[in-house]
């Protein structure tokens, strides 16, 4: 059976997500932009079921630096009147429909998982959503590349390089294209014949869903 014939896969909405962040000393990365693109396989064709993008005003301890601006093009002036993290991530969280099976999709999903985990109070549903990482999936399906950076994978699959690369909306679009290329390749791989097999190969359990270990000295 092909992956896209699996009932669990067909029932899942895949939400490609990307954050741009600042990285303040002594604190975890703080989001300054988020974009998300929801995809669902329906009658053999992929359908976009939702899209969201939002600038985010960082807290005072995490100002936009010249290095951040050089990377993303975003400036402190652009973000000065943007929604707060609570507003932006709360709005994104409310777009997730209760009872719908979701998986987040990200390039190097540990980055997105870490941002979401540290913002979990503002986006509790998002924080409980597990992830698919395109890097281990690409390593499984396309062995032998010199590296598995997004630009390398884009070149391998012939995905055009957007002029605003390193902005969240552009990176979500190219990551979504990469994901669809990888799923097409996975459909030809007999080892990836179910959603469970896909998650075993490339899944990442959200920190909110991981078991809590008792403290070493708990009574």
């Amino acid at each position: 059976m092909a992956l896209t014939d699996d009932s669990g896969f067909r029932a899942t909405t895949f939400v490609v997500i990307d954050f741009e962040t600042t990285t303040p000393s002594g604190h975890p990365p703080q989001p300054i932009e988020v974009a998300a693109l929801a995809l669902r396989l329906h009658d053999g064709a992929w359908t976009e079921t939702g899209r969201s993008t939002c600038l985010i005003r960082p807290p005072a301890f995490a100002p936009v630096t010249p290095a951040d601006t050089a990377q993303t093009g975003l400036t402190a002036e652009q973000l000065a009147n943007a929604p707060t993290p609570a507003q932006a991530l709360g709005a994104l969280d409310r777009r997730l429909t209760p009872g719908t099976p979701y998986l987040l999709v990200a390039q190097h999903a540990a980055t997105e998982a870490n941002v979401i985990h540290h913002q979990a109070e503002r986006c509790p549903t998002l924080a409980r959503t597990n992830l698919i990482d395109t890097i281990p999936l690409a390593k499984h399906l396309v062995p032998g590349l010199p590296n598995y950076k997004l630009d390398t994978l884009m070149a391998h699959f012939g995905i055009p390089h957007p002029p605003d690369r390193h902005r969240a909306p552009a990176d979500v679009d190219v990551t979504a294209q990469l994901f669809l290329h990888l799923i097409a390749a996975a459909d030809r791989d007999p080892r990836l014949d179910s959603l469970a097999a896909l998650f075993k190969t490339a899944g990442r359990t959200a920190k909110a869903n991981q078991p809590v270990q008792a403290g070493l000295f708990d009574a």
Side-chain angles (χ1 to χ4, degrees):
M1 181 176 72
L3 172 62
T4 55
D5 292 327
D6 176 62
S7 59
F9 185 93
R10 296 171 71 88
T12 299
T13 297
F14 295 90
V15 180
V16 186
I17 191 166
D18 182 77
F19 288 97
E20 302 302 330
T21 64
T22 64
T23 308
S25 177
H27 297 275
Q30 300 294 309
I32 56 175
E33 186 175 40
V34 62
L37 169 60
L39 297 167
R40 178 83 180 270
L41 187 66
H42 182 69
D43 291 338
W46 286 98
T47 300
E48 180 181 320
T49 62
R51 181 184 288 263
S52 175
T53 182
C54 189
L55 296 177
I56 302 172
R57 183 169 77 248
F61 64 78
V64 174
T65 67
D68 296 326
T69 300
Q71 171 83 355
T72 66
L74 293 171
T75 66
E77 291 73 22
Q78 286 176 278
L79 301 174
N81 296 312
T84 65
Q87 292 168 332
L89 296 177
L92 179 59
D93 202 63
R94 289 189 292 273
R95 297 191 65 168
L96 300 178
T97 304
T100 299
Y102 292 102
L103 281 172
L104 302 179
V105 176
Q107 170 78 2
H108 194 253
T111 300
E112 272 58 42
N114 187 49
V115 173
I116 292 168
H117 174 68
H118 287 290
Q119 301 287 338
E121 290 184 3
R122 294 149 173 167
C123 51
T125 303
L126 199 64
R128 292 191 299 270
T129 305
N130 294 329
L131 305 97
I132 296 291
D133 191 333
T134 52
I135 292 179
L137 185 56
K139 288 180 176 180
H140 176 89
L141 292 166
V142 194
L145 294 182
N147 61 64
Y148 289 84
K149 296 177 181 178
L150 183 54
D151 287 330
T152 302
L153 293 169
M154 288 166 59
H156 176 81
F157 286 108
I159 299 169
H161 194 284
D164 50 352
R165 172 84 171 86
H166 296 299
R167 286 291 303 274
D171 285 1
V172 153
D173 278 333
V174 295
T175 302
Q177 293 176 60
L178 170 62
F179 177 66
L180 297 186
H181 279 290
L182 292 172
I183 294 303
D187 242 7
R188 302 187 292 270
D189 188 329
R191 298 168 293 178
L192 295 177
D193 60 354
S194 67
L195 183 66
L198 176 68
F199 192 80
K200 183 177 180 180
T201 298
R204 184 179 186 89
T205 301
K207 290 185 179 182
N209 296 332
Q210 295 175 5
V212 178
Q213 295 183 353
L216 184 61
F217 299 106
D218 284 356

